[in-house]
Amino acid sequence: MSEQRILLVEDEPHLAAGLKLNLELDGFDVTVAGTAREAAYQLVDPRGFDVILLDLMLPDLDGVAFCRRLRQSGNFTPVLMLTARDQPEDRVAGLEAGADDYLGKPFDLDELRARVGSLLRRQTWANRRTGAERQVTTVGRAQIDFDAYTLTVDGEEAHLTQLEFDLLRYFAANAGRVVSRAELLENVWHLSNHPNTRVVDNFIVRLRRLLEPDPAAPVHLHSVRGAGYKFVP
Ligand code: CA
C-alpha cells in the first residue's frame, strides 16, 4: 500500500517543518504549502491527497474561503482546520465552509494524530466495504449509502462533506424523534453549550435541497417549532 498523502497548508515555517517531520515519522507522505496559491497548485496533482491540514490564517486567503472554494471545485478530501483564534465563530465558519473537523492552536501532537487518524479511518471504511455489505437507505428520491458516503438523487451522485453525512446519519438513527439543535451540535459537531444554533439551520437548508421534492414544503426533514427537527425517511 502506498503512503497516505497529507497536504499541510501552513505559512508558519517552524510549525510546518515540525509537523511535516513528525507526520513523516508516522509514515505519511507530507507536502507543505505556505500559501493558498501554492496549495491550489499542489491540489492539481492527480494522485490527490488523503487529508488536508488547513491553517485558518494564511497570507493570501483565509482558510475558510479556501475551504469553500475547494468544495465548490468538487474536491471532497477531508479537511482538518487548524485555528489559532479559539473563537467558536471561527470554528463554525470553517465547518460551514465544508471543513470536517477543527483543532485549536496550540495543539497537542497526539491529538492531531488522533484527529487525522479518525478522518482517514472514515475514508478507509468507506472504500473497503463491498457492495454486498453496504446498506442503502432510500429517502424520497435520494439513495443514501452511509458506508460509502455517497448520496444519489435521481440517478446523479451528489457530494456531501463528512459532516453533512454525519448529520444525515444522526437523523437516520433517530428517525421519527424530535431532536433539538443543541443535541445536534453536541453529537454531530461536538460543540457543547454552543450559543449559535444557526449553523444547524444552514446545514438543514442544504440537506433539504438534496432530499426534498420541494425544499419549501419539507416532507422528510420537518421543523418542529421551538423544539428542533424531526426526520421522517
Ligand atoms: Ca497562519
Side-chain angles (χ1 to χ4, degrees):
M1 202 178 105
S2 63
E3 285 178 328
Q4 286 181 303
R5 305 187 73 224
I6 294 179
L7 176 61
L8 171 60
V9 191
E10 170 62 67
D11 60 310
E12 210 280 285
H14 294 289
L15 180 58
L19 273 179
K20 179 176 160 71
L21 179 68
N22 276 289
L23 291 167
E24 283 175 348
L25 288 172
D26 289 345
F28 293 106
D29 176 350
V30 182
T31 301
V32 175
T35 61
R37 193 189 168 89
E38 210 180 310
Y41 173 76
Q42 293 295 343
L43 282 163
V44 177
D45 188 328
R47 287 179 296 167
F49 291 91
D50 297 289
V51 168
I52 300 171
L53 304 181
L54 178 62
D55 181 27
L56 181 69
M57 305 277 275
L58 294 166
D60 52 345
L61 187 71
D62 75 84
V64 170
F66 181 85
C67 195
R68 188 171 293 118
R69 284 191 195 176
L70 184 76
R71 298 313 188 207
Q72 281 168 352
S73 75
N75 187 316
F76 291 86
T77 306
V79 170
L80 174 61
M81 189 89 80
L82 306 174
T83 159
R85 296 179 294 183
D86 198 24
Q87 299 291 323
E89 296 73 32
D90 290 337
R91 297 175 170 197
V92 166
L95 295 172
E96 282 190 311
D100 296 285
D101 200 0
Y102 54 80
L103 194 55
K105 289 181 184 174
F107 50 80
D108 180 66
L109 186 61
D110 285 334
E111 178 158 24
L112 177 84
R113 284 193 176 108
R115 301 288 183 101
V116 168
S118 156
L119 288 173
L120 287 170
R121 268 195 306 281
R122 289 200 274 179
Q123 290 285 93
T124 312
W125 282 332
N127 296 337
R128 202 190 297 143
R129 297 277 184 121
T130 63
E133 287 173 290
R134 283 189 179 151
Q135 290 218 324
V136 176
T137 307
T138 301
V139 178
R141 59 205 182 106
Q143 306 223 285
I144 308 162
D145 183 336
F146 285 110
D147 295 320
Y149 285 96
T150 61
L151 186 146
T152 313
V153 181
D154 297 336
E156 292 239 355
E157 197 168 300
H159 284 286
L160 276 80
T161 66
Q162 288 192 1
L163 197 63
E164 287 167 340
F165 253 105
D166 289 345
L167 177 62
L168 198 49
R169 191 196 301 271
Y170 193 83
F171 273 125
N174 292 279
R177 183 170 79 77
V178 177
V179 291
S180 70
R181 291 176 178 80
E183 179 182 338
L184 292 169
L185 284 170
E186 171 106 40
N187 292 294
V188 179
W189 279 264
H190 308 293
L191 293 166
S192 47
N193 302 318
H194 195 271
N196 182 0
T197 53
R198 191 182 49 85
V199 59
V200 176
D201 301 355
N202 293 343
F203 274 77
I204 298 287
V205 168
R206 264 188 272 175
L207 289 184
R208 277 186 179 148
R209 256 187 235 139
L210 288 168
L211 297 177
E212 299 286 355
D214 176 7
V219 294
H220 302 298
L221 265 173
H222 298 271
S223 297
V224 181
R225 207 181 169 81
Y229 292 100
K230 188 166 83 172
F231 179 64
V232 180

